[in-house]
C-alpha cells in the first residue's frame, strides 16, 4: 500500500448507526403458502428470521431512523456533512432521490444528495464514492446510508426470493480520521452480462437481448451463488494485494450477508476460519445494501470490532457487481464504541 501524500487527508468512518424494523418474520411464516419448511430454509441459507417494515414504512423512513440512531450515539456526528449518498434498490421514488428525502428529515437540507444503485454492493461502493468526493474537494464529510425495504419489491409467494430478503438500514459518516487509520484501498467492478441472474425492472420490460424481467425481484440462485463465491474471493484478494496486505493481516472479514454458504466458501478461498468473520443474516436475512453497516454496527457493539483492527469489506450485488475495501478501524469517536462503553463514557463525563 502506498503511503498517502502529505496533503491527502486520511479518511474513514467517523460515526455509525443502524435500524431494523420491529416485526420479526420467522421461517415458519412461509410454510403455509409455499412448498418449504423452516428447517429447509435455515439449512440452505443460514437464515432463521428477518425483519419486515410496516405497510407505512418506506426506504427513506428506515434510513432516517438509522441516522437518528447515529445521532443518539453522537449528537455532533453530522457537523460538517455536506453530501448524502443513499445506497438502495428499493427507493421511495426515482425522483426525488431517497438521499434527498433523508437529508431533508435529518437537518441536511441543501447538502448534495443522490442515490447509488448497485444492489447489495451499494454501501461499500458508496464509501469509496464518498472518499472520492472528499479527496476531490467536492465535500467535507459525507453521510452514507444503506437502506432497503425489500419486502415491498419481492414476490412473497416466490420461494426463490421471498425467503432470503429482509428490511433494514445502516448509516455512516465518512470524514477525516487520525493518521494510520481509515480507508486504504477499494476494488470495484460490474458485468452487465450477468444482469439476467439478478434483476428488478423499472422502465424497460426487458434487458438488452430481450430477457423478460417480470414485475418483481428475479434471481437465478445457482448462477448468483457461483458468481458470488468467485467475486468475493477475487476482489478480496486483489484489494489486499493493492493495499500491501495478506490475509494474515486481517482481523475481520466483513462480508455482504446473502447466504452463509457463500460466506463459508469465500472464507475458505481466503484460507481463513469462520471465526474471522461476523454473521448476522440468521436474524436479518439479506438486507442488500444495509448488510455491511448492520454487521459493522453490531460488531462494534459486541466488542468484536475495536480500535486499530484491520478490516476487509467484501460485497457483491446486482449488475452483477462486486466491491472490496480495506480499512484500519478507528474506534475513537463516540458512536464507534461499544454501546455499554459509550453509555459509561456519558455517565462519567
Amino acid at each position: 500500500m502506498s503511503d498517502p501524500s502529505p496533503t491527502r487527508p486520511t479518511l474513514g468512518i467517523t460515526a455509525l448507526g443502524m435500524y431494523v424494523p420491529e416485526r420479526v418474520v420467522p421461517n415458519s411464516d412461509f410454510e403455509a403458502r409455499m412448498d418449504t419448511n423452516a428447517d429447509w430454509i435455515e439449512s440452505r441459507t443460514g437464515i432463521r428470521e428477518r425483519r419486515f417494515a410496516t405497510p407505512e414504512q418506506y426506504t427513506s423512513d428506515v434510513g432516517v431512523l438509522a441516522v437518528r440512531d447515529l445521532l443518539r450515539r453522537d449528537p455532533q456526528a453530522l457537523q460538517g456533512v455536506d453530501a448524502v449518498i443513499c445506497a438502495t434498490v428499493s427507493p421511495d421514488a426515482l425522483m426525488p432521490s431517497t438521499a434527498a428525502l433523508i437529508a431533508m428529515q435529518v437537518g441536511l437540507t441543501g447538502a448534495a444528495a443522490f442515490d447509488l444503485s448497485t444492489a447489495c454492493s451499494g454501501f461499500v461502493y458508496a464509501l469509496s464514492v464518498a472518499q472520492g468526493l472528499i479527496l476531490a474537494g467536492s465535500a467535507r464529510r459525507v453521510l452514507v446510508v444503506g437502506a432497503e425495504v425489500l419486502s415491498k419489491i419481492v414476490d412473497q409467494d416466490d420461494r426463490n426470493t421471498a425467503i432470503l430478503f429482509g428490511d433494514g438500514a445502516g448509516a455512516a459518516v465518512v470524514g477525516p480520521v487520525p493518521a494510520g487509520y481509515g480507508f486504504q484501498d477499494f476494488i470495484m467492478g460490474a458485468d452487465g452480462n450477468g444482469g439476467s441472474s439478478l434483476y428488478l425492472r423499472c422502465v424497460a420490460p426487458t434487458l438488452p437481448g430481450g430477457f423478460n424481467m417480470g414485475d418483481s425481484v428475479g434471481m437465478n440462485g445457482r448462477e448468483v451463488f457461483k458468481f458470488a463465491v468467485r467475486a468475493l474471493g477475487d476482489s478480496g484478494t486483489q484489494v489486499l494485494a493493492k493495499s500491501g496486505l495478506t490475509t494474515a493481516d486481517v482481523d475481520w472479514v466483513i462480508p455482504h450477508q446473502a447466504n452463509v454458504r457463500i460466506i463459508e466458501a469465500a472464507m475458505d478461498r481466503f484460507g481463513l476460519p469462520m471465526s474471522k468473520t461476523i454473521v448476522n443474516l440468521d436474524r436479518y436475512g439479506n438486507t442488500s445494501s444495509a448488510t455491511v453497516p448492520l454487521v459493522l454496527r453490531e460488531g462494534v457493539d459486541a466488542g468484536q470490532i475495536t480500535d486499530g483492527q484491520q478490516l476487509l469489506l467484501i460485497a457483491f450485488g446486482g449488475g452483477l457487481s462486486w466491491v472490496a475495501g480495506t480499512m484500519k478501524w478507528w474506534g475513537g469517536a463516540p458512536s464507534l464504541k461499544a454501546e455499554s462503553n459509550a453509555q459509561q463514557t456519558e455517565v462519567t463525563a
Side-chain angles (χ1 to χ4, degrees):
M1 179 186 66
S2 58
D3 294 329
S5 69
T7 58
R8 173 175 170 170
T10 53
L11 302 172
I13 291 174
T14 63
L16 193 60
M18 66 171 280
Y19 171 77
V20 290
E22 293 182 5
R23 181 186 171 193
V24 177
V25 181
N27 289 342
S28 56
D29 275 23
F30 297 99
E31 293 180 345
R33 64 176 184 272
M34 61 179 66
D35 181 22
T36 191
N37 62 71
D39 292 339
W40 184 90
I41 296 171
E42 184 173 359
S43 67
R44 283 158 177 76
T45 68
I47 300 168
R48 291 186 289 105
E49 60 189 32
R50 70 285 295 144
R51 304 293 185 95
F52 279 6
T54 67
E56 297 79 21
Q57 279 183 316
Y58 293 93
T59 297
S60 65
D61 299 310
V62 298
V64 165
L65 289 168
V67 178
R68 288 179 179 163
D69 178 61
L70 179 153
L71 289 169
R72 176 185 64 79
R73 299 167 188 267
D74 181 1
Q76 308 304 314
L78 298 185
Q79 287 191 356
V81 169
D82 49 9
V84 180
I85 304 172
C86 181
T88 185
V89 289
S90 54
D92 291 22
L94 291 180
M95 54 180 177
S97 70
T98 300
L101 299 178
I102 293 171
M104 172 188 70
Q105 296 177 76
V106 300
L108 294 175
T109 299
F114 61 93
D115 292 348
L116 187 153
S117 179
T118 59
C120 307
S121 62
F123 180 81
V124 184
Y125 251 79
L127 292 180
S128 180
V129 172
Q131 175 184 243
L133 288 173
I134 297 171
L135 292 178
S138 299
R140 292 176 296 165
R141 294 176 182 267
V142 181
L143 173 64
V144 174
V145 180
E148 306 285 5
V149 286
L150 299 172
S151 62
K152 299 181 188 298
I153 62 173
V154 168
D155 180 352
Q156 293 299 326
D157 293 319
D158 176 14
R159 190 179 73 166
N160 291 326
T161 55
I163 63 174
L164 300 175
F165 296 104
D167 304 336
V173 175
V174 173
V177 297
Y181 290 95
F183 303 135
Q184 293 151 323
D185 284 294
F186 289 95
I187 291 284
M188 298 184 291
D191 181 0
N193 289 303
S196 60
S197 294
L198 184 57
Y199 52 88
L200 174 65
R201 73 174 296 262
C202 181
V203 177
T206 64
L207 293 172
F211 181 84
N212 192 325
M213 289 182 281
D215 294 324
S216 57
V217 172
M219 183 179 69
N220 181 327
R222 182 170 297 180
E223 290 302 314
V224 170
F225 188 100
K226 290 190 295 185
F227 162 78
V229 173
R230 182 177 68 254
L232 294 182
D234 289 351
S235 63
T237 300
Q238 290 167 15
V239 80
L240 286 172
K242 185 178 179 183
S243 304
L245 302 168
T246 70
T247 54
D249 299 309
V250 176
D251 293 298
W252 291 107
V253 178
I254 308 298
H256 166 53
Q257 308 282 301
N259 183 312
V260 73
R261 308 303 169 212
I262 293 174
I263 297 173
E264 289 170 345
M267 295 298 286
D268 186 61
R269 287 193 64 162
F270 293 137
L272 292 173
M274 284 294 287
S275 59
K276 286 273 191 175
T277 191
I278 300 173
V279 176
N280 65 6
L281 65 82
D282 56 317
R283 291 174 290 119
Y284 302 138
N286 181 350
T287 58
S288 188
S289 64
T291 67
V292 168
L294 289 178
V295 169
L296 287 173
R297 179 69 265 171
E298 291 198 329
V300 169
D301 281 338
Q304 295 169 289
I305 299 174
T306 59
D307 187 78
Q309 289 185 326
Q310 179 64 52
L311 306 188
L312 169 62
L313 314 181
I314 50 174
F316 69 93
L320 293 168
S321 62
W322 59 88
V323 63
T326 49
M327 66 182 300
K328 183 77 74 170
W329 186 256
W330 179 55
S335 75
L336 303 183
K337 305 176 188 300
E339 184 75 75
S340 58
N341 292 339
Q343 290 172 341
Q344 183 66 30
T345 300
E346 293 172 3
V347 170
T348 58

